[in-house]
């Protein structure tokens, strides 16, 4: 059981929720603030003054006053009418993280929901009741309305959910888990669907995947450098301290440590006719380090957003007021997702050039053509390199900014939106592409290092190759390659090579 303290939940907590099937609960100390806010909402609902979302319509219909006896129907109608999502359904881990984020936000005690709402979310997560949430339909303001409505629909016994691998009507999934649908009180439906939790969940997952792949890229780049007998002189710490960027300094130091003790490197310190390596070797700290800095910035933004209250209106308990604002606008998430997309794309772009370098006998410093021992009869890594080029190019296209796009919605009431939802959702696809690029690089680099025998690489890099070779044997003659590529991509994305090399980037 993971206890969540609203306002203080860490990225490590959130990654645990995503990667592991873990039950969560709010810190009980959050309850008094939650109940105080709910009492303010209840008082407003019984009064005569129009309060947006409590006793009025929504969006362009905010000027229409709702009678006290209709407030429960108002909230139910809101959920049902907003279940307009389309496209492929989110996987259960993403939905679980999204639900936890909503729980954290409600736990701040500024949304005006009853404790019962939080308890139901806790119960659903613990029992594995996962709402069926389509991936398309949000423009990232006013919050992620459609996807969050599909989550909330199950809470009121509507919609669809997954339980123990079976897709069930929402009410049946709750019943099988020993849970009961809830009747929404004033503002509760709006609190559930107004917010950035869909976009933030997808962006966080992109961050977690991209970070692990960035660590893998440092390992594969060090292997590639040794495979082509590249120089470690550009890793001199003095060079990177003179530039001053933290990511660049960290990547250069990591590569130098990974390559320390390599017989291959020591063999060509003297008498090497080459003056400089190509940029994809020489400028790895500058490129991967810059990407690392973008990921770190995005991580800081997303940790704040994960702990934020992002619905509207907000209940200011200390003032006893309900105030309309715009925290549902997901511009910070959109910017963070766009930054991560650039980082993912560039890590893949420079890695692909290293693959191209290794398969080209004119540039690889005497490695066999396409890394096959018998070229001509065998094509070796020829088309594996082409696959990396295709995925690199695809990621470049997908990386185009989403946050610069906007379109007015809701009869021009919501006239500027963030597009954070698809800025964040695309990141998983980009990371999947990057894992293949790095997987192929690992295959090529391992093949290249082994071709330098009897010279050997460093101990950490030998361990990384051994992790790869447990699933992907060395290429001696042409064989069916798709399974090897898939296995290498899984090893990279699973962190097996970095773990074997006993390597991790500082957060």
């Amino acid at each position: 059981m993971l206890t969540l303290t609203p306002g203080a939940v860490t990225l490590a907590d959130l990654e645990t929720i995503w990667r592991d099937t873990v039950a969560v609960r709010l810190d009980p100390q959050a309850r008094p603030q939650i109940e105080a806010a709910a009492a303010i909402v209840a008082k407003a609902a019984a009064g005569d003054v129009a309060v947006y979302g409590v006793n009025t319509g929504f969006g362009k219909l905010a000027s229409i006053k709702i009678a006290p006896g209709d407030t429960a129907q108002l909230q139910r109608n809101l959920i049902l009418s907003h279940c307009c999502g389309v496209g492929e359904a989110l996987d259960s881990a993403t939905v679980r993280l999204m639900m936890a984020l909503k729980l954290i936000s409600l736990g701040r005690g500024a949304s005006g929901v009853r404790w019962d709402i939080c308890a139901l979310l806790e119960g659903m997560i613990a029992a594995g009741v996962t709402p069926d949430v389509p991936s398309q339909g949000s423009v990232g303001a006013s919050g992620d309305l459609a996807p969050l409505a599909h989550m909330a629909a199950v809470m009121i016994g509507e919609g669809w959910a997954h339980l123990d691998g079976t897709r069930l009507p929402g009410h049946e999934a709750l019943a099988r888990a020993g849970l009961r649908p809830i009747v929404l009180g004033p503002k509760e439906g709006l609190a559930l669907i107004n917010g950035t939790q869909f976009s933030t969940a997808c962006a966080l997952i992109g961050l977690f995947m991209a970070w692990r792949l960035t660590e893998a890229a440092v390992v594969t780049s060090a292997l590639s450098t040794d495979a082509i007998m590249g120089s470690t002189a550009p890793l001199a710490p003095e060079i990177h301290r003179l530039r001053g960027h933290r990511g660049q300094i960290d990547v250069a130091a990591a590569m130098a440590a990974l390559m320390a003790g390599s017989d291959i490197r020591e063999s060509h310190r003297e008498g090497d006719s080459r003056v400089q390596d190509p940029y994809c070797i020489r400028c790895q700290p500058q490129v991967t380090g810059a990407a690392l800095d973008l990921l770190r910035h995005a991580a800081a933004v997303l940790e704040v957003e994960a702990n934020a209250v992002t619905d509207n209106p907000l209940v200011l308990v200390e003032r006893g007021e309900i105030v309309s604002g715009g925290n549902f606008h997901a511009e910070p998430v959109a910017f963070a997702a766009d930054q991560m997309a650039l980082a993912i794309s560039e890590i893949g772009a420079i890695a692909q050039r290293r693959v191209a370098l290794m398969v080209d006998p004119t540039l690889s410093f005497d490695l066999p053509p396409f890394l096959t021992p018998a070229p001509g009869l065998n094509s070796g890594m020829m088309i594996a390199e082409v696959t990396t080029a295709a995925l690199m190019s695809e990621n470049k296209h997908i990386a185009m900014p989403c946050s610069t796009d906007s379109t007015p919605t809701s009869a021009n009431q919501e006239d500027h939106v963030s597009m954070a939802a698809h800025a964040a959702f695309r990141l998983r696809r980009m990371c999947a592409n990057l894992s293949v690029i790095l997987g192929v690089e690992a295959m090529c680099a391992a093949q290249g290092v082994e071709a330098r025998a009897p010279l050997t690489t460093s101990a950490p890099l030998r361990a990384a190759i051994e992790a790869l070779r447990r699933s992907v044997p060395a290429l001696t003659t042409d064989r069916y390659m798709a399974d090897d590529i898939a296995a290498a991509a899984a090893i990279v994305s699973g962190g097996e090579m970095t773990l074997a090399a006993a390597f991790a980037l500082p957060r």
Side-chain angles (χ1 to χ4, degrees):
M1 175 73 72
L2 182 62
T3 298
L4 304 174
T5 302
V9 179
T10 66
L11 292 175
D13 293 333
L14 297 166
E15 188 165 5
T16 297
I17 293 169
W18 174 56
R19 292 194 186 276
D20 304 326
T21 306
V22 58
V24 301
R25 66 163 191 163
L26 284 179
D27 187 328
Q29 294 185 29
R31 185 166 185 166
Q33 181 83 358
I34 292 171
E35 292 180 337
I40 293 171
V41 169
K43 182 179 178 181
D48 297 326
V49 178
V51 179
Y52 175 70
V54 175
N55 54 12
T56 72
F58 306 102
K60 198 73 170 181
L61 304 176
S63 60
I64 299 176
K65 182 79 161 51
I66 306 299
D70 291 332
T71 55
Q73 189 64 47
L74 172 72
Q75 298 299 316
R76 182 178 179 84
N77 288 350
L78 175 70
I79 300 303
L80 297 177
S81 67
H82 283 56
C83 286
C84 296
V86 297
E88 65 177 284
L90 295 181
D91 63 284
S92 60
T94 304
V95 177
R96 183 172 62 248
L97 179 57
M98 183 180 79
M99 294 168 71
L101 290 171
K102 176 55 73 176
L103 181 62
I104 295 163
S105 181
L106 298 179
R108 293 288 298 275
S111 300
V113 303
R114 294 164 295 158
W115 181 260
D116 292 349
I117 295 288
C118 300
L120 180 55
L121 279 169
E122 290 176 346
M124 290 170 64
I125 293 171
V129 177
T130 308
D132 197 337
V133 178
S135 58
Q136 293 174 281
S138 173
V139 295
S142 171
D144 295 315
L145 295 170
L148 289 171
H150 284 272
M151 177 198 76
V154 176
M155 299 175 70
I156 64 172
E158 300 288 346
W160 294 84
H162 295 266
L163 179 64
D164 298 329
T166 303
R167 187 172 185 261
L168 301 165
H171 64 89
E172 186 175 341
L174 290 176
R176 289 194 185 186
L179 301 170
R180 298 179 63 182
I182 198 162
V183 176
L184 297 172
K187 193 188 174 293
E188 290 180 338
L190 187 59
L192 286 170
I193 70 171
N194 219 199
T196 66
Q197 287 76 34
F198 169 88
S199 297
T200 304
C202 292
L204 283 166
I205 291 167
L207 171 67
F208 301 147
M209 296 177 72
W211 186 272
R212 185 173 280 186
L213 289 171
T214 303
E215 291 182 327
V218 174
V219 174
T220 59
S221 64
L223 275 170
S224 296
T225 301
D226 234 11
I228 62 103
M229 289 190 158
S231 174
T232 55
L235 302 178
E238 294 84 357
I239 294 174
H240 306 288
R241 286 199 296 266
L242 285 169
R243 187 84 179 270
H245 294 295
R246 181 191 172 197
Q248 178 179 329
I249 293 168
D250 287 345
V251 170
M255 290 185 65
L258 285 167
M259 296 183 68
S262 167
D263 294 337
I264 296 173
R265 173 64 188 113
E266 296 305 318
S267 73
H268 62 96
R269 284 189 184 274
E270 304 293 336
D272 193 330
S273 61
R274 297 169 297 173
V275 177
Q276 292 181 327
D277 291 317
Y279 287 0
C280 68
I281 298 296
R282 193 172 7 134
C283 300
Q284 291 170 100
Q286 288 80 0
V287 176
T288 306
L292 178 60
D293 284 339
L294 285 181
L295 294 179
R296 284 170 169 158
H297 178 262
V301 170
L302 293 175
E303 187 168 60
V304 171
E305 189 72 9
N307 285 282
V309 185
T310 55
D311 61 294
N312 180 64
L314 297 180
V315 184
L316 307 181
V317 173
E318 293 76 12
R319 291 167 50 177
E321 297 178 7
I322 303 173
V323 182
S324 287
N327 281 3
F328 51 74
H329 200 297
E331 196 83 347
V333 181
F335 282 158
D338 278 347
Q339 288 180 324
M340 288 191 287
L342 294 174
I344 294 164
S345 179
E346 279 299 277
I347 291 170
I350 195 169
Q352 199 283 326
R353 296 318 304 155
R354 295 192 295 265
V355 172
L357 189 72
M358 287 185 283
V359 301
D360 186 343
T362 64
L363 298 173
S364 65
F365 203 56
D366 300 327
L367 288 177
F370 301 104
L371 298 165
T372 177
L377 178 62
N378 296 282
S379 296
M381 298 289 186
M382 180 185 294
I383 305 305
E385 185 269 330
V386 173
T387 297
T388 66
L391 297 183
M392 172 192 69
S393 185
E394 182 179 305
N395 271 2
K396 288 178 181 178
H397 287 281
I398 301 173
M400 293 297 292
C402 297
S403 56
T404 53
D405 188 17
S406 181
T407 189
T409 61
S410 193
N412 284 300
Q413 176 75 4
E414 298 160 6
D415 59 351
H416 182 278
V417 298
S418 71
M419 298 301 177
H422 38 280
F425 185 69
R426 66 178 160 168
L427 296 176
R428 181 175 294 213
R429 177 180 172 189
M430 293 186 70
C431 285
N433 289 344
L434 178 56
S435 70
V436 173
I437 296 170
L438 296 177
V440 171
E441 181 184 16
M443 292 167 62
C444 290
Q447 193 85 0
V449 165
E450 290 165 347
R452 303 294 183 187
L455 296 174
T456 60
T457 188
S458 67
L461 295 181
R462 288 199 304 273
I465 292 174
E466 288 170 6
L468 176 72
R469 288 290 178 246
R470 285 194 284 270
S471 299
V472 183
L475 191 65
T476 54
T477 60
D478 282 352
R479 61 175 185 253
Y480 186 80
M481 293 289 287
D483 291 345
D484 288 342
I485 292 172
I491 289 167
V492 164
S493 61
E496 293 177 38
M497 292 182 70
T498 53
L499 183 64
F503 165 69
L505 285 167
R507 296 280 176 171

